[in-house]
Amino acid sequence: MTNIKIIDAICGAGKSSYAIQMMNDSSKAGFGANREFYTSDKKFIYVTPFLSEIERVINNTKAEFSEPTNKKGSKYEHVKKLIEDGKSIAMTHELFSRLDEETLSDIEFEGYILIMDEVANVLEQVQAYSKDIEYLLKAGAIEISADRGIIWIDDEYDISSNGNYRDIKVLSERGNLYLEEGNIVFWTMPVKAFLCFNEVYLLTYLFDGQIQKYYYELHNVNYEKFSVRKNSNGRYELTEYYSLLEPRDEIEELLNVYEDYQSSTGRKSSMNSNYDSRKNPSEYYQLSGTWLRNASDEDLRQLNNNTRNFFRNQFPTDNSNIFWTTLKEVAPKLKNVKCKFNKKGDRSKDNYVPLNIRATNEYANCTAMAYIYNRFMNPIEKNFFRNRGITVDEGQLAMSDLIQFLFRGCIRKGEPMNCYIPSSRMRSLLNQWFSYDEGNPKYEEE
């Protein structure tokens, strides 16, 4: 049975340092004049969101790690060859998600250990399949199981002669496709992608709010949750999960979260409440995805003015030390002289950061941020789990994403940071986190 360990620890606690230490502990000096080449009796696959992190892992581990390349074909084919050869590999999440049944069987045979930096994209809506599913149901080629799984039943369908529905046939036979609310099709990562490993180490934070947690519940996958700490000998060790180990009170002191009334100065403003011109608006849902998509031009202009005011007048900050986010489709209407957007990733011109940013130190110099969003789970995704008897905690999910975003900035170095978070719900969740009260259900939904 696969041993799955969730290392649930705040950014900077030492999750990746523990993983590198563990891999180095399995290595021993091998050959060479000075025995500088190391061998390991274990095989690892290290999965990370960014190519830059692959380089860091390779440079900091003793054992030989290989990075898939496309020099002799595709990266995917290179991965398959490296696994067949029993090599330790560092790869991206995107590449890991493409591993097929045969490759997963090879991983199981070789006895690999998986180290995954941040949760995987384990659930995805596949809009392109909707009409095809409708046709295949009428044609009697598929049927829907009790848990809404799509099952292929047409034994006469020949993939080689008609490839129109090849992907649907293959994925449904693997148990990866589900039908939700009529014609909405979901792909789920094959659970074998985790169960084929001897051991799994998932490095993340606030796992109880992550979609991967609900995915594990869907597939009855057992796991243990741990904290990590540095002991007196300078080594990292896993301990029983305990959130009180986290220095949240110290972090609260360093984060200057803007409020309309600043008790320290007596200064009053309305930047947390002046952007909704509707009558009797519900603060709970302000700045949600639906709110932003339907917001009037007047309200978006006010938000634009607020962010410019925050970074120019409230807390004057050089553009290179700012990072900000909102719904990507709304960002063009909120960009201004301080909040830059769509300059092709040039950090000297673009300081916009995607909402789901994780596992990067690129913005660690930033001393001020703006989070113009109120995070809720996609309602269709929420119903996908709830219809299968799985309880979803939207408050934990929102809190997790906000904390991850905050820790992209200079707070990760223990330096003060100014924050503009105009959503009252998101500020309440942050205050809840400061109080170690992330399980309070009153913020889950209203």
Side-chain angles (χ1 to χ4, degrees), residues 222-275:
N222 295 319
Y223 60 86
E224 296 179 276
K225 202 163 66 163
F226 296 88
S227 295
V228 65
R229 68 179 181 183
K230 197 174 187 178
N231 64 26
S232 58
N233 297 323
R235 287 180 57 81
Y236 292 91
E237 61 183 10
L238 297 187
T239 65
E240 182 179 353
Y241 177 74
Y242 189 48
S243 65
L244 292 178
L245 288 174
E246 300 167 6
R248 299 188 189 180
D249 52 345
E250 298 174 20
I251 295 167
E252 183 177 10
E253 288 295 317
L254 292 171
L255 288 178
N256 179 25
V257 181
Y258 177 84
E259 295 289 350
D260 281 347
Y261 176 75
Q262 300 288 324
S263 58
S264 59
T265 63
R267 182 169 52 199
K268 295 182 179 180
S269 177
S270 57
M271 295 199 319
N272 285 332
S273 56
N274 64 1
Y275 54 81

